Amino acid sequence: MKRRFESKWANRAAQVSITVAAVGLFWYLRPDIYGSVRDEVRSDYQQKIVSPKIIAEYLRQTPKPKVQIGAGPSNAPGWLNTDIEPSASQAYLDATKPLPFPDGSVYYIFGEHVIEHLDYSDALGFFKEAYRVLAPGGKIRMVTPNLKQFLTLFDDPDPEHSPKTAHFVARKLAAQDWTKTSDPACLILNNEMHGFGHQFLYTPALLRASYQQAGFTGIRQYAAGETDDATFVPVELRPRGVWKDVNAYESMAIEATR
């Protein structure tokens, strides 16, 4: 009986060892799948466990909360910096979902080159959510590519050498390391509309209308990096970057008040 018992558990131990070895070999041979699973587990943990605590603690400690959407590398002091792929100090936030803030609890919302990553319907939903969570008198500022600026490249038969557009064309191609073609305007517009995960580019008129549809008033357009509210200055990153001239040509900033 003792021998049978020992043999039974020896067989089970051998089976477990073989299974563990097989799993280890699988992960070794397919690191792409292992990396994907690891990243998914980490993202789920960040989304469900870490981020709600970060958000709750920030709201508890901050008299006038300020939220940055799609922060990326911009971790502005005093702001709740959020991203759909957050770094360690950021909170997870998906701008296509209801914002994780109570009604009227936020005083500023900012996004730099993020709204173009949502399709038009999702962006309208985001603006309505932004209106809901902002306190009366709270402000939103979105910086995004201005479609009209890209269309002006087609106003000149030779934008690569035009005094108005030559600098931008050369710098834009260099910034993205795009292949030079006989029609750089066509290349730039297509890449801007379909590259970088972009879903929808706005004209100033449509972005204003989107704000209005959500209920915002006091809508005003600025150049990138320019504002009458100093609160937005530290959080906007691109006007201080090496490609600030490219950003200045192609971007617009539109603010509105709750």
Side-chain angles (χ1 to χ4, degrees), residues 2 12 17 26 40 48 65 86 119 122 125 131 145-146 166 178 192 209 229 248 251:
K2 181 178 179 181
R12 287 191 178 181
S17 297
F26 176 79
E40 185 174 342
K48 295 181 179 178
D119 67 30
D122 283 338
Y131 186 86
N146 181 347
W178 287 338
E192 193 68 25
D229 192 325
S251 301

Side-chain angles (χ1 to χ4, degrees), residues 12-250:
R12 287 191 178 181
Q15 291 173 355
V16 170
S17 297
I18 292 171
T19 301
V20 170
V23 171
L25 179 62
F26 176 79
W27 291 134
Y28 175 78
L29 295 174
R30 293 301 306 272
D32 55 327
I33 296 179
Y34 170 75
S36 176
V37 171
R38 178 198 60 205
D39 292 344
E40 185 174 342
V41 170
R42 181 183 299 165
S43 175
D44 192 58
Y45 175 75
Q46 175 76 17
Q47 176 183 350
K48 295 181 179 178
I49 307 299
V50 177
S51 294
K53 294 180 180 179
I54 292 176
I55 293 170
E57 186 67 11
Y58 175 82
L59 293 177
R60 185 181 69 81
Q61 294 182 347
T62 309
K64 291 189 174 183
K66 305 182 291 289
V67 179
Q68 180 177 196
I69 309 296
S74 175
N75 287 303
W79 288 71
L80 177 63
N81 301 296
T82 72
D83 201 280
I84 197 167
E85 295 180 353
S87 64
S89 61
Q90 297 173 346
Y92 174 91
L93 190 146
D94 183 348
T96 68
K97 302 291 191 294
L99 296 179
F101 311 110
D103 294 1
S105 62
V106 175
Y107 285 76
Y108 287 91
I109 292 178
F110 174 80
E112 184 176 26
H113 286 260
V114 62
I115 198 68
E116 66 272 15
H117 292 266
L118 309 183
D119 67 30
Y120 180 62
S121 177
D122 283 338
L124 284 176
F126 165 73
F127 291 134
K128 292 175 182 177
E129 275 293 287
Y131 186 86
R132 176 185 67 80
V133 304
L134 278 169
K139 292 184 178 180
I140 184 173
R141 176 181 171 94
M142 291 286 116
V143 184
T144 189
N146 181 347
L147 180 58
K148 291 188 73 173
Q149 284 295 95
F150 291 95
L151 296 179
T152 61
L153 298 176
F154 296 88
D155 291 341
D156 193 291
D158 188 10
E160 194 172 8
H161 300 98
S162 168
K164 293 182 179 180
T165 58
H167 178 79
F168 170 74
V169 169
R171 290 281 286 166
K172 183 69 172 179
L173 294 177
Q176 306 301 335
D177 195 25
W178 287 338
T179 302
K180 190 175 181 180
T181 71
S182 59
D183 191 349
C186 182
L187 176 75
I188 290 172
L189 178 61
N190 273 281
N191 283 339
E192 193 68 25
M193 293 186 70
H194 303 294
F196 316 109
H198 288 178
Q199 298 291 317
F200 194 90
L201 298 188
Y202 289 85
T203 61
L206 187 56
L207 188 51
R208 283 172 173 270
S210 299
Y211 278 4
Q212 290 172 338
Q213 190 170 340
F216 287 101
T217 59
I219 301 168
R220 185 172 177 183
Q221 182 177 344
Y222 296 86
E226 294 183 1
T227 179
D228 293 324
D229 192 325
T231 305
F232 287 120
V233 174
V235 71
E236 193 166 342
L237 194 63
R238 295 195 184 200
R240 303 191 297 274
V242 66
W243 303 105
K244 60 185 178 182
D245 53 334
V246 175
N247 184 61
Y249 179 91
E250 69 183 17

